[in-house]
Amino acid sequence: MNPSSILKSIYQHPQLNSAASEEIIKAHKKVFFKKGEIILKEGQQSNAYYCMESGLARAFAVNSAGKDITTSFFSPGNVVIEVASLFLRVPTEENIEAVTACECWKIDFSDFQALFEKIQGFSEWGRTWMTNSLLENKLRSLHMITDSAKERYLRLQKEQPLIIQQAPLKQIATYLGVTDTSLSRIRNEVAKEH
Amino acid sequence: MNPSSILKSIYQHPQLNSAASEEIIKAHKKVFFKKGEIILKEGQQSNAYYCMESGLARAFAVNSAGKDITTSFFSPGNVVIEVASLFLRVPTEENIEAVTACECWKIDFSDFQALFEKIQGFSEWGRTWMTNSLLENKLRSLHMITDSAKERYLRLQKEQPLIIQQAPLKQIATYLGVTDTSLSRIRNEVAKEH
DNA sequence: TGAATTTCTTGCCCTATGACAAGCGTAATT
DNA sequence: AATTACGCTTGTCATAGGGCAAGAAATTCA
């Protein structure tokens, strides 16, 4: 199976030459998930991560009241991963689920770890990836504080329109930190304004 | 100047032996900041990070309305760092400020980078540190969504009492995502309940 | 196809929190 | 001591968004 341009773009980095990124890419295998399929379940230990080729997935946490809160969405070009469980080698407290049918490139932790130590520049690649994740997360917290529900919705619509189109309202609502009722009203209001 | 036990504990990691951590620690120099002093200013590029020995610092972002929002606090044992600017080599969009007088161990990026490539296991140390930061940030977003203002205050009080004691109310308020007025009322209410 | 189930919308009312403004205590400045 | 400044509290009122429940619409399944 040929590696896709998406997979190549994920491993694009100033400190990874083409031989290195090719070797990394070779360690990935194509896998598929059906709509609704659980990719990682709370309590399990994560032993791999996935590069998203097509489809949409989400991570969610279940709070004490049994309510599920979407904590992130994974679109094509994103790395589908539960960082804490994978790198700290502990059971995950989150779930990852395929929102639509997904096509992914899987790499096992043991293969990743071997390449991480072997390949010059792979740790810098990882550091850059982590840095960007951290940045995104910080922005998410910040917007949660400074922006209204409507502003958060509009930002998501602008920056990640595919999520709005593909995920059910309830999942988007918990991701934005509002109830589904409120999001429905916001959506209505936005539609009225054209 | 002798490295402190705090500094040693920061560089404690299964994949760093004592010779390695000692070499890393040697690259740090003691620096002091006065109360209110700016450690990193928006627009600058970060070229170092600091291990907090004593005192309290905070990072804050200034939004378009000119309002400052505390995005994190740094206590003894924490690493005072603006990850995005330091690792992506870009100007920072955040400020870091000493809330009280601070005593820190500084390491320059160039020294860090040289050790990162030289020392076996240092990249795993960094990955673990990043993983924990990411985890903390995700929890912060999650609690912002699931918990009430009062619950967020009580959690901070329980988990980081020094912040409550040392930082002015307004800074804590923006960190928790409430107005200073509301936080004052919450505090009053909590005091009444003993 | 029709029944069952899930998802989304809407109405009504309520509560937590925000906006603004005034007051108060403490500490530094003269 | 009076003055200013700062940080915190409190009052009044306004409002975004939540809780709950009834439908409507869409999807799934038998």
Side-chain angles (χ1 to χ4, degrees):
Chain A
M1 218 168 307
N2 282 330
S4 71
S5 62
I6 281 184
L7 194 48
K8 284 180 194 159
S9 79
I10 289 175
Y11 290 108
Q12 196 72 40
H13 190 272
Q15 286 176 77
L16 284 181
N17 61 36
S18 62
S21 75
E22 213 169 285
E23 187 174 358
I24 294 164
I25 286 171
K26 272 195 195 131
H28 293 66
K29 294 176 310 196
K30 182 68 91 49
V31 294
F32 297 89
F33 297 102
K34 291 180 194 141
K35 177 176 175 177
E37 192 171 346
I38 296 294
I39 298 175
L40 180 68
K41 196 173 164 54
E42 195 181 344
Q44 288 179 341
Q45 180 171 310
S46 173
N47 286 311
Y49 68 80
Y50 308 84
C51 297
M52 181 69 84
E53 177 72 34
S54 71
L56 182 69
R58 70 174 186 123
F60 63 101
V62 180
N63 74 5
S64 46
K67 216 180 133 194
D68 105 52
I69 311 288
T70 301
T71 54
S72 31
F73 283 106
F74 305 99
S75 299
N78 289 163
V79 178
V80 180
I81 185 172
E82 211 293 77
V83 171
S85 175
L86 189 70
F87 292 146
L88 303 179
R89 315 303 301 137
V90 297
T92 176
E93 301 191 353
E94 284 199 349
N95 302 270
I96 301 182
E97 169 194 62
V99 174
T100 66
C102 292
E103 193 185 351
C104 302
W105 298 97
K106 177 181 184 177
I107 178 168
D108 287 320
F109 179 70
S110 55
D111 295 336
F112 166 82
Q113 185 70 351
L115 292 167
F116 189 84
E117 309 212 322
K118 177 185 172 194
I119 293 186
Q120 179 72 11
F122 198 22
S123 64
E124 272 90 353
W125 174 88
R127 197 174 72 188
T128 299
W129 184 87
M130 285 282 222
T131 298
N132 284 313
S133 294
L134 207 49
L135 188 58
E136 267 175 38
N137 261 276
K138 290 189 83 166
L139 282 176
R140 183 164 145 74
S141 307
L142 186 61
H143 295 147
M144 210 62 81
I145 289 177
T146 61
D147 299 356
S148 67
K150 187 174 172 184
E151 288 168 328
R152 298 201 298 275
Y153 174 76
L154 289 173
R155 165 173 280 118
L156 185 64
Q157 191 181 48
K158 190 176 167 195
E159 294 178 358
Q160 313 252 64
L162 287 176
I163 293 174
I164 303 278
Q165 288 159 32
Q166 298 183 297
L169 178 136
K170 192 167 47 169
Q171 293 175 7
I172 300 170
T174 62
Y175 180 70
L176 292 175
V178 294
T179 56
D180 48 355
T181 309
S182 282
L183 182 54
S184 176
R185 290 187 176 115
I186 287 167
R187 183 183 265 187
N188 177 318
E189 207 179 312
V190 170
K192 271 184 198 152
E193 298 165 3
H194 286 212
Chain B
M1 220 168 309
N2 281 329
S4 70
S5 61
I6 281 183
L7 194 47
K8 283 181 194 159
S9 78
I10 288 175
Y11 291 106
Q12 196 73 40
H13 189 271
Q15 287 176 77
L16 284 181
N17 61 36
S18 62
S21 76
E22 215 170 284
E23 188 175 356
I24 295 164
I25 286 171
K26 271 194 197 132
H28 292 67
K29 295 176 309 197
K30 181 69 90 52
V31 293
F32 298 89
F33 297 101
K34 291 181 192 142
K35 178 177 173 176
E37 193 172 346
I38 296 294
I39 298 174
L40 181 69
K41 195 171 166 58
E42 193 181 344
Q44 289 179 340
Q45 178 170 313
S46 174
N47 286 311
Y49 68 80
Y50 308 84
C51 297
M52 181 70 84
E53 177 73 34
S54 71
L56 183 69
R58 71 173 185 123
F60 63 100
V62 180
N63 73 7
S64 45
K67 219 181 131 193
D68 106 53
I69 311 289
T70 301
T71 54
S72 32
F73 283 106
F74 305 99
S75 298
N78 288 164
V79 178
V80 180
I81 184 172
E82 211 292 79
V83 171
S85 175
L86 190 69
F87 293 147
L88 303 179
R89 315 305 300 137
V90 297
T92 176
E93 301 192 354
E94 284 201 348
N95 302 270
I96 302 182
E97 167 194 65
V99 175
T100 67
C102 292
E103 193 184 350
C104 303
W105 298 97
K106 176 180 184 177
I107 179 169
D108 288 319
F109 179 71
S110 55
D111 295 336
F112 166 83
Q113 184 71 350
L115 292 167
F116 189 84
E117 307 213 324
K118 175 184 172 194
I119 292 185
Q120 180 71 10
F122 196 23
S123 63
E124 271 91 353
W125 173 89
R127 199 174 70 188
T128 300
W129 184 87
M130 285 283 223
T131 299
N132 284 313
S133 294
L134 207 50
L135 188 57
E136 267 176 39
N137 261 275
K138 290 187 83 165
L139 282 176
R140 182 164 145 74
S141 308
L142 186 61
H143 294 148
M144 209 63 80
I145 290 177
T146 60
D147 298 355
S148 68
K150 187 174 172 184
E151 286 168 330
R152 298 201 298 274
Y153 175 77
L154 290 172
R155 165 173 280 119
L156 185 64
Q157 190 181 50
K158 191 176 167 195
E159 294 178 357
Q160 313 252 63
L162 287 177
I163 292 175
I164 304 278
Q165 288 159 34
Q166 298 182 297
L169 179 137
K170 193 167 44 166
Q171 293 174 9
I172 299 170
T174 62
Y175 180 69
L176 292 175
V178 294
T179 56
D180 48 355
T181 310
S182 282
L183 182 55
S184 177
R185 290 189 175 112
I186 288 167
R187 184 182 264 186
N188 176 321
E189 207 180 313
V190 169
K192 272 183 198 151
E193 299 165 3
H194 285 213

